[in-house]
Structures are given as C-alpha cells and as structure tokens.
C-alpha cells in the first residue's frame, strides 16, 4: 500500500468518524434545539420521493465536506424518526461528551442545517405549486366558465 493510498484511507476514516459524531450530535440535540425540531418536522413531512430529491439536490449543491455533514444529519434525522415510531417522544440521552467539534466544524454543521432547511422549504413549496397547477388544470377541463366573454364591439353606452 503506497503512502498516497494510506492518506486517502486516513481521510475516509476521518470522514466516517466525523459523520458518526455529527449523527450523535443531531440525535442528541434534536429534542433540545428548536431549530433541529423544525428541521425534523420539515424533513418528516417529505414523501420518500421528496427525500430522494433532497439527496439529489444536496449531492449537486454541497461540496464533499458538506456532504459528510449532510449524511450525518440525515442519519440523525432517520434515527430520531425511528425512535419516535418505536418509543415515542422520549428523547435521546446519548452522552454528549462522545462528540466534540471545533468552532469551524460547528459552523459547518450549522450552515448545512440551514441549507437543508432551505432545500426542504423549496421542495415543499414547489410540490405545492405543482399540485395546485395540476388541480387547476383538472378543474378547468371539467368545468365550463359561467361568464360570457366581453366582446370589443359590445355597446354598454
């Protein structure tokens, strides 16, 4: 194994460790932090198709380091969702000392959380608009308008 390959392997291990720490952090703070509660609720309302779309958008919108954070956040949200389904809103009491971040990492996690929230809001808004357009098209095909069009030669004078 060459030195170059070892460095890449080391980076991958750090990425997995960091992603695991992000997961622990998200799982721990979701019941305590209003921002995370809002994000969880937004994410939980997405259909599986919309969640796939979120992953797709994130893949193209975020850089490699942000994708590691994104993956940890999504894993934390999935864990929290499973916990809600199996045990109810009990909260997750993992020891907070099992994760530690420097200021730069905390800033990066916070920025990715905000980005995810914006992406989810955009997906939700676009899906609502699309469904309203489809509903409007369906209604307009089925109903005739009750009014007569105004003709330019109509003399109301």
């Amino acid at each position: 194994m060459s030195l170059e390959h070892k460095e890449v392997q080391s980076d991958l291990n750090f990425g997995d460790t960091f992603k695991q720490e992000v997961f622990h952090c998200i799982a721990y703070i979701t019941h305590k932090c209003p921002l995370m509660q809002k994000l969880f609720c937004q994410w939980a309302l997405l259909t599986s198709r919309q969640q796939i779309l979120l992953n797709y958008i994130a893949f193209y919108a975020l850089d490699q380091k942000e994708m590691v954070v994104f993956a940890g956040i999504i894993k934390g949200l999935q864990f929290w969702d499973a916990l809600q389904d199996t045990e109810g809103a009990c909260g997750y009491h993992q020891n907070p000392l099992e994760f530690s971040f420097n200021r730069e990492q905390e800033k990066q996690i916070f920025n990715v959380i905000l980005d995810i929230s914006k992406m989810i809001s955009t997906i939700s808004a676009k899906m609502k608009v699309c469904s309203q357009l489809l509903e409007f098209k369906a209604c307009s095909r089925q109903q005739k308008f009750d009014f007569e069009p105004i003709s330019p030669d109509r003399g109301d004078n």
Side-chain angles (χ1 to χ4, degrees):
M1 185 182 294
S2 69
L3 176 63
E4 192 174 298
H5 183 69
K6 286 181 183 178
E7 288 174 356
V8 170
Q9 184 66 32
S10 174
D11 286 346
L12 289 175
N13 289 338
F14 174 77
D16 289 341
T17 302
F18 181 67
K19 183 173 29 174
Q20 190 69 18
E21 287 182 351
V22 171
F23 159 69
H24 283 287
C25 174
I26 297 304
Y28 180 73
I29 68 170
T30 297
H31 74 290
K32 295 182 176 205
C33 174
L35 176 65
M36 283 308 302
Q37 291 169 356
K38 180 181 176 191
L39 180 66
F40 172 75
C41 291
Q42 287 177 312
W43 177 82
L45 290 174
L46 294 177
T47 64
S48 57
R49 187 175 183 180
Q50 291 169 332
Q51 288 178 2
I52 291 169
L53 180 60
L54 174 65
N55 294 342
Y56 180 80
I57 292 169
F59 180 77
Y60 286 102
L62 303 175
D63 65 25
Q64 190 174 12
K65 288 180 183 178
E66 292 170 328
M67 278 304 295
V68 171
V69 174
F70 175 84
I73 292 169
I74 296 301
K75 186 177 175 186
L77 294 175
Q78 290 169 339
F79 172 80
W80 188 256
D81 191 39
L83 189 67
Q84 296 290 310
D85 289 344
T86 57
E87 298 182 28
C90 64
Y92 180 64
H93 302 288
Q94 183 73 20
N95 183 352
L97 299 176
E98 289 188 24
F99 58 88
S100 61
F101 304 108
N102 63 35
R103 187 174 294 274
E104 178 74 25
Q105 291 169 328
E106 286 178 2
K107 193 175 178 180
Q108 188 176 32
I109 291 168
F110 181 73
N111 286 334
V112 172
I113 288 170
L114 292 177
D115 288 343
I116 292 171
S117 182
K118 289 176 191 173
M119 286 184 244
I120 290 173
S121 295
T122 302
I123 289 169
S124 297
K126 287 187 177 189
M127 293 298 185
K128 287 177 188 172
V129 169
C130 289
S131 67
Q132 289 173 351
L133 286 173
L134 289 173
E135 185 179 313
F136 176 75
K137 285 181 182 180
C139 289
S140 66
R141 287 183 195 150
Q142 294 173 355
Q143 299 174 351
K144 293 184 179 179
F145 294 106
D146 291 348
F147 62 89
E148 294 179 29
I150 300 174
S151 61
D153 58 286
R154 183 175 172 186
D156 287 338
N157 300 348

